[in-house]
Amino acid sequence: MIATFFAMFSPGIASAQQDGLGSEANDPTASVMAFQLQDFYTYRYHNLDDEDGNRMQFRAAIPFSLGDSSNIFRLTAPYVTDSPNDSSGWSDMTLFDLVTFDRSWGRFGVGAVALLPTGEDGLSAEKWGLGPAVGFVASQPSGIWGLFNQNVFTVAGDDDYRDVNISIVQPIVNYSLGNGWSAGASDMSITYDWEQHDWVSLPLGVALNKLVRIQEYPVQFTASYEHNFYDEGVSASDTLNLTAKLLLP
């Protein structure tokens, strides 16, 4: 099905590698307006047999200038369509603003991330969170590599719920294959929980991307797979992801 979907747009964008748009589409520090829709299907859980789950996610990245600084504002809104406990609905949204700085080797950024308890009952942490974000991306002719870090610490919320104090590390690796194709790491969110004093998510995944042009608009399609090596309690084990990202450079 994925191969057929990609084949529908086989002409692609011949200049994708030249203009760098393929790399910027996978760079969280790039000043490119983007709107994406993702679907995450977890077909296997640790310590839970014969259960699956599905989550859709909308994300918008909007670059803007504030004085002499370049900023990127990003909103992420997840919607759970299926889960092992049969809960469904909106989960908590996250926002971040990153101030970026261009360098000869690439780009780095510093900013802040916020957790908003907008989720429905059973799907919300019921906590307001805030913390620093920092990252860098090095550019090379063959692609990009870097690291992105977000930290969320509880600042308010329902005292009956456990505090959210976590650090998330995301490796960024993307290799250009030419003709709009690229491959690299999936959206791996390696997570450390300061409340449990332990890593609570240890994913390893790969992604295949194809950048095409639909009329005058560049769109990147992504298919990825992740395996989570953290196997304590009930946690996602194997997840497939399909993403469509509209770019407005």
Side-chain angles (χ1 to χ4, degrees):
M1 182 183 68
I2 295 172
T4 302
F5 191 67
F6 284 154
M8 293 171 59
F9 305 100
S10 57
I13 305 176
S15 62
Q17 188 175 15
Q18 296 176 354
D19 62 19
L21 199 54
S23 293
E24 290 179 339
N26 298 286
D27 181 355
T29 69
S31 296
V32 176
M33 185 177 296
F35 301 93
Q36 70 183 42
L37 186 63
Q38 299 176 281
D39 186 81
F40 297 90
Y41 173 60
T42 299
Y43 62 89
R44 185 180 296 121
Y45 284 84
H46 291 297
N47 305 308
L48 193 63
D49 295 331
D50 301 323
E51 293 288 350
D52 59 4
N54 195 80
R55 170 172 55 90
M56 299 191 70
Q57 182 168 277
F58 171 76
R59 175 173 287 171
I62 302 173
F64 67 97
S65 296
L66 186 61
D68 295 331
S69 65
S70 297
N71 291 251
I72 300 171
F73 171 81
R74 192 173 80 179
L75 175 148
T76 302
Y79 187 91
V80 177
T81 60
D82 188 26
S83 62
N85 63 2
D86 295 325
S87 296
S88 63
W90 292 103
S91 187
D92 293 342
M93 291 195 302
T94 58
L95 307 173
F96 85 65
D97 180 70
L98 201 68
V99 182
T100 61
F101 304 88
D102 291 331
R103 293 295 184 266
S104 58
W105 48 265
R107 186 184 301 108
F108 74 93
V110 294
V113 58
L115 172 69
L116 311 182
T118 56
E120 300 178 28
D121 290 342
L123 295 172
S124 174
E126 302 295 344
K127 297 288 185 177
W128 296 85
L130 188 65
V134 62
F136 78 92
V137 172
S139 301
Q140 298 178 348
S142 59
I144 60 173
W145 66 275
L147 198 67
F148 191 62
N149 168 241
Q150 301 178 70
N151 304 274
V152 177
F153 303 105
T154 295
V155 294
D158 192 331
D159 291 337
D160 292 333
Y161 288 77
R162 188 173 64 89
D163 285 345
V164 177
N165 297 315
I166 59 174
S167 294
I168 302 171
V169 179
Q170 179 188 357
I172 301 165
V173 179
N174 193 67
Y175 182 78
S176 298
L177 302 174
N179 196 31
W181 290 93
S182 65
S186 62
D187 293 339
M188 298 185 295
S189 296
I190 303 170
T191 306
Y192 186 84
D193 190 318
W194 295 96
E195 293 293 305
Q196 298 187 35
H197 302 287
D198 195 9
W199 297 96
V200 295
S201 180
L202 294 169
L204 180 64
V206 294
L208 180 65
N209 312 293
K210 173 63 173 175
L211 188 65
V212 304
R213 190 177 295 276
I214 300 178
Q215 296 182 351
E216 71 271 26
Y217 298 107
V219 179
Q220 185 188 66
F221 294 98
T222 299
S224 70
Y225 163 79
E226 279 188 1
H227 176 74
N228 181 15
F229 287 91
Y230 178 81
D231 59 2
E232 297 183 20
V234 175
S235 57
S237 174
D238 299 281
T239 300
L240 299 174
N241 165 240
L242 292 176
T243 297
K245 180 185 294 186
L246 172 65
L247 305 169
L248 301 174

